[in-house]
Amino acid sequence: MDIDARIKRRERRNEGPRLIQDYDSLSPVAHIDEPSDRGPVFERLLDHLDPVFDGVLPPNAYVYGEFGSGKSAIVTALFDHLKRLSTEPRSVIHTSTRAASPTTPGFVYLDMRETTSEFAFYHAVLDSLVEDSVPEHGISTEELRDRLHAILGESRNGIVVAVDHVGEPNSTDTTGLIDLFAGLPSNVSWLAVGRADPERIGLTTYTATSINVAPYQRQMLVDVLMTRASEGLAQRALDHELARRIAEWADGNAHDALAALFIAADRASRAERTRLLEEDIDAAIGEIPQPSVSLAQVLSLPANKQVVLRKLVDLDADDRASVSATTEAISSTVDLSVGTVKRFLYEMAEAGIVERVQSDDHDGKGRPPSRVELRFSPTAFRRLYDLRQ
DNA sequence: GATCCACGGGAATACACGGATG
DNA sequence: CATCCGTGTATTCCCGTGGATC
């Protein structure tokens, strides 16, 4: 949390006792600067990246672990720091514990949830390497590749690209990843991040190292929750015992734990309480589907798909009875055609954002309809979505 | 004028069922 | 009885067009 945020929080606190002081600290889709208790994982990542401190590019690698084990939190935090290190002037570098050589490679972090096309990929890499912004239109993918070759050819330091969320639906799989990097010069090394076992997705032939991130242990998750609560909520709003309760239920999944805290806080806030109660926690837990999809994944969908979802979470049971009924209800309130809304729903079902379940009532005629059920908490999505508008 | 990609819209395919057929 | 066929829906797939931007 930076100083501005700290000051803002103090200012708001003077406005009176409000439960939710800072949504950013509480948001289950935001990563904090210094993930707690992940020292060993950082060390293993730094071991792998060690060559960069001698100005040498490390080999390709893969970081993997279960949903909510903190992969993204760790990698984003680490790359943030490394990025700063490689751009800081030497005088500053000298004062740090681990001196970086002046030829440190560059660091780029990419979330493949957001770079969904070849064009978007090269664009994102190039954009992170040059000062001025790169046009998003009127420039061909080939032109982007040419510019990247030109820029990377100038410096022999090269870059390390972290590629997050590999292997998710709508993201990039192993062959896609290899193809994308085939379009880049050889002084580019990648660090893929995903959930799947390296062998299962055939990644081991391309990597020198695989680093497994174990799920959070109970006590670590409690600490994470207490930290978030102390930064985002009023004083003493979250009882330690309730944090334990959430951690126990979440079973190592930090995403679900933070989502539960967020929903519980939202519930208590609407009831105008300044402390979380057991019933808030229970209600929150009851609202999170198991298994659930990452809220970050939902919030990185194209804008119009999110519009459709935003309408969907407010529909009543009648309008959710079938895909057709849901489509009708949504398309009447949205500036999209019936066909498009329906296609969106099917596509999101395919991606696991929602789930199609066969409805029990069908009148014998034709193929039985199905309805869509959410694979995420409606309250959490509603609040996070509205906060962004 | 060039480029990308979101939309729309429709064609193709899958599925369920009842009734006809061998 | 097993299989095929026709009909009505549901679902998937595909591709041209046009908006937005440079």
Side-chain angles (χ1 to χ4, degrees):
Chain A
M1 184 192 276
D2 63 21
I3 294 175
D4 279 348
R6 287 179 192 281
I7 292 172
K8 251 166 51 191
R9 185 158 59 104
R10 293 303 172 106
E11 281 177 351
R12 277 198 299 266
R13 192 161 284 175
N14 291 335
E15 292 168 7
R18 265 224 321 247
L19 173 63
I20 299 179
Q21 300 283 338
D22 179 31
Y23 272 102
D24 288 339
S25 302
L26 208 57
S27 167
V29 300
H31 299 302
I32 55 178
D33 293 344
E34 306 282 346
S36 49
D37 303 319
R38 310 303 337 241
V41 184
F42 275 108
E43 282 305 318
R44 277 195 292 155
L45 276 167
L46 285 171
D47 282 348
H48 164 67
L49 294 170
D50 203 56
V52 304
F53 298 104
D54 298 323
V56 179
L57 217 52
N60 299 329
Y62 180 50
V63 176
Y64 69 106
E66 288 174 26
F67 178 32
S69 58
K71 304 177 293 297
S72 297
I74 293 164
V75 172
T76 52
L78 183 59
F79 269 62
D80 267 1
H81 283 266
L82 290 169
K83 240 179 279 182
R84 242 174 281 157
L85 205 65
S86 65
T87 53
E88 269 171 14
R90 286 194 74 183
S91 56
V92 180
I93 294 171
H94 271 290
T95 65
S96 65
T97 48
R98 213 162 183 175
S101 82
T103 54
T104 303
F107 294 93
V108 178
Y109 171 86
L110 293 185
D111 185 348
M112 294 312 279
R113 285 171 178 160
E114 280 156 17
T115 53
T116 49
S117 68
E118 214 183 340
F119 175 84
F121 175 81
Y122 296 118
H123 183 273
V125 177
L126 183 59
D127 199 43
S128 70
L129 292 179
V130 298
E131 286 299 319
D132 25 83
S133 64
V134 185
E136 292 186 48
H137 295 271
I139 180 172
S140 71
T141 307
E142 191 51 45
E143 167 71 16
L144 288 177
R145 269 193 293 257
D146 289 348
R147 290 201 200 177
L148 279 164
H149 275 273
I151 285 178
L152 289 165
E154 283 172 12
S155 74
R156 269 196 269 100
N157 307 338
I159 53 172
V160 183
V161 185
V163 191
D164 204 350
H165 303 118
V166 166
E168 277 183 8
N170 291 330
S171 173
T172 312
D173 59 5
T174 298
T175 48
L177 183 76
I178 303 307
D179 289 347
L180 287 171
F181 278 94
L184 292 176
S186 56
N187 58 348
V188 175
S189 166
W190 48 261
L191 180 72
V193 182
R195 288 185 199 170
D197 250 46
E199 289 84 11
R200 195 170 69 72
I201 57 173
L203 210 50
T204 45
T205 47
Y206 303 100
T207 57
T209 323
S210 292
I211 298 170
N212 180 245
V213 180
Y216 281 89
Q217 288 160 4
R218 174 85 40 87
Q219 187 52 46
M220 284 162 60
L221 210 44
V222 172
D223 292 345
V224 168
L225 288 165
M226 294 307 291
T227 303
R228 290 291 191 119
S230 78
E231 289 185 356
L233 297 178
Q235 305 274 0
R236 288 180 300 279
L238 177 66
D239 193 82
H240 195 267
E241 197 48 45
L242 293 181
R244 276 193 67 84
R245 191 187 182 85
I246 295 175
E248 197 158 320
W249 162 81
D251 192 27
N253 183 333
H255 170 276
D256 285 355
L258 291 173
L261 175 62
F262 184 77
I263 300 160
D266 181 65
R267 187 176 189 273
S269 172
R270 271 181 304 171
E272 299 188 353
R273 278 185 261 108
T274 54
R275 299 194 59 176
L276 303 194
L277 302 179
E278 201 170 319
E279 60 187 75
D280 296 321
I281 308 296
D282 289 344
I285 287 173
E287 210 200 273
I288 302 175
Q290 290 297 319
S292 66
V293 70
S294 163
L295 285 163
Q297 195 182 332
V298 178
L299 291 164
S300 67
L301 289 169
N304 278 336
K305 281 191 177 168
Q306 292 193 52
V307 168
V308 167
L309 285 180
R310 183 63 187 84
K311 298 292 179 189
L312 175 62
V313 296
D314 282 349
L315 293 185
D316 55 32
D318 278 355
D319 288 334
R320 292 203 209 191
S322 69
V323 172
S324 301
T326 303
T327 302
E328 288 298 320
I330 292 175
S331 62
S332 64
T333 61
V334 152
D335 188 25
L336 292 167
S337 78
V338 173
T340 299
V341 172
K342 184 171 281 188
R343 180 167 54 81
F344 279 2
L345 288 174
Y346 282 120
E347 283 177 1
M348 290 192 289
E350 185 66 26
I353 307 290
V354 295
E355 189 180 18
R356 285 194 302 115
V357 299
Q358 189 138 346
S359 40
D360 18 336
D361 61 319
H362 88 100
D363 44 4
K365 281 270 181 178
R367 188 171 174 173
S370 53
R371 60 194 153 80
V372 293
E373 288 191 349
L374 307 177
R375 296 315 290 167
F376 56 88
S377 148
T379 300
F381 172 70
R382 201 180 279 126
R383 177 64 74 215
L384 290 168
Y385 180 87
D386 292 350
L387 280 169
R388 287 189 175 190
Q389 301 312 304

